[in-house]
Amino acid sequence: MKKILLACCCAAFVLMSASAYAEIVLKLQTSTQSGAYEYKYINEEWGKRLKAMTNGEISTEFYSINSIVDRKETPEAVMAGVLGGDLTAVSYFTGRNPAFAILGDLIAGYDTVDQVQTFCRYGGGRDALQALWDATLPGAFHVVGCGAVAKEALVAKVPIKGVDDFKGVKVRSPGGLAATVFKAAGAAPVSMSLSDVFTSLEKGVIDAADASAYINNTTSGFHQIAKYPIYPGIHSMAVRQFTVNKGIWDSLTDDQKLALETWFYACYDDVRRQLDLQDKAQVSKDKAAGDITVVDWPQEERDKFRKLASEAWEETAAKSPEARAALDAHYEYMKTIGLLE
């Protein structure tokens, strides 16, 4: 919070009024490192598109994880006007309410990223997230959208070929649901920022990491040390939220609001497709080179892990009324697409 207050004192206005400058500049802190493929792609390909979509009325400035405030403090920074909004992982806020864990990443719950994106956009996910933030920080910001971009690969220094191989493995994991699932599998979850993963792997603080898409893990250098990645992923499809300061949002025209929502979903639909292509290309390259052993779990192990995860969902849902409501929102959507009876 000290960092936020200091930034408030010295930061320039995030919002430049249309009447004075004819442009709104949104400073957005993301949940990815500056060297990651996802960060570079969004910054280079999609920042300019929002400006074009709004005839120069709205532009963006992207910042990597922890670059302005700690990853867990972006809501307060948005509320204070230090940031115009965030593009960050919902699961970072699990300490505020376990419902954020359930909406942020229903571990092993969905088969595809598209299912998660559809839940957010059309299945009640965005509305559930807005309601949760309204209960947590009333009037702070508007949730423009949410969605996942990848079924994350697991970074590992040791071969983890099934659930039993997790026993005793120190795994970097966000707090909450993911940590509960890893613990149930016999692993020792360790909470830390993504920016600390490389050094922690190098020094042996952790043996594995819930990190990001395979290509992001590669460009972040994790595979230089952790040479037994699990791909396709077994667990995580982390949900990003796109929020905008409530005062800024309320000042926008209906056309500008629609442009922001359209931009976000178009951007993240493109990113998930690009990441999938990049993941597959990098996996093929690594397999051919032979220095990295890509681990692909058999279906029976994936099923076993999902059963552990589903027990953890219910355990987490029992921790607060909001968490129960969040899981029920998932269940209702899952029934409509045939994942649950």
Side-chain angles (χ1 to χ4, degrees), residues 2 29 38 50 106 113 150 156 192 214 242 265 279 306:
K2 289 182 179 178
Q29 183 167 301
E38 179 185 339
L50 179 60
L106 192 67
V113 175
M192 66 176 63
Y214 192 97
F242 176 29
Y265 283 113
D279 280 354
R306 190 174 191 275

Side-chain angles (χ1 to χ4, degrees), residues 59-284:
S59 63
T60 54
E61 294 177 2
F62 298 105
Y63 296 87
S64 59
I65 188 170
N66 295 331
S67 58
I68 296 182
V69 295
D70 181 84
R71 72 191 195 282
K72 295 180 181 179
E73 295 178 352
T74 55
E76 282 76 17
V78 174
M79 198 173 176
V82 176
L83 295 171
D86 68 12
L87 279 168
T88 196
V90 175
S91 60
Y92 288 162
F93 313 116
T94 297
R96 301 168 189 245
N97 190 311
F100 285 108
I102 290 174
L103 291 176
D105 196 345
L106 192 67
I107 301 297
Y110 291 99
D111 294 329
T112 68
V113 175
D114 185 63
Q115 289 170 347
V116 179
Q117 189 116 322
T118 303
F119 167 67
C120 275
R121 191 172 187 181
Y122 303 114
R126 191 215 70 88
D127 292 341
L129 185 58
Q130 181 71 68
L132 180 56
W133 275 121
D134 286 345
T136 306
L137 290 175
F141 44 72
H142 178 79
V143 179
V144 181
C146 61
V149 293
K151 189 166 188 177
E152 296 180 352
L154 193 84
V155 175
K157 291 175 66 177
V158 295
I160 304 172
K161 298 180 180 179
V163 174
D164 291 344
D165 289 341
F166 267 119
K167 287 184 173 60
V169 175
K170 294 173 289 186
V171 183
R172 177 267 176 181
S173 171
L177 187 54
T180 301
V181 175
F182 285 127
K183 189 174 181 180
V190 180
S191 179
M192 66 176 63
S193 172
L194 189 62
S195 58
D196 296 326
V197 167
F198 184 91
T199 302
S200 297
L201 285 167
E202 193 174 39
K203 293 182 177 179
V205 175
I206 55 174
D207 307 306
D210 176 344
S212 188
Y214 192 97
I215 187 63
N216 283 343
N217 294 338
T218 297
T219 55
S220 295
F222 300 153
H223 294 153
Q224 296 173 27
I225 305 165
K227 297 184 180 293
Y228 297 93
I230 299 175
Y231 177 88
I234 58 169
H235 67 305
S236 175
M237 286 186 266
V239 172
R240 269 68 156 180
Q241 64 177 23
F242 176 29
T243 71
V244 173
N245 173 283
K246 188 66 163 57
I248 296 177
W249 180 259
D250 289 344
S251 74
L252 300 178
T253 66
D254 288 344
D255 286 347
Q256 290 171 334
K257 291 175 180 178
L258 179 61
L260 276 177
E261 181 180 345
T262 302
W263 172 84
F264 170 74
Y265 283 113
C267 171
Y268 270 67
D269 188 58
D270 182 31
V271 169
R272 73 178 177 85
R273 294 172 190 275
Q274 290 293 338
L275 285 174
D276 183 53
L277 290 171
Q278 293 292 326
D279 280 354
K280 289 174 178 173
Q282 188 63 47
V283 167
S284 295

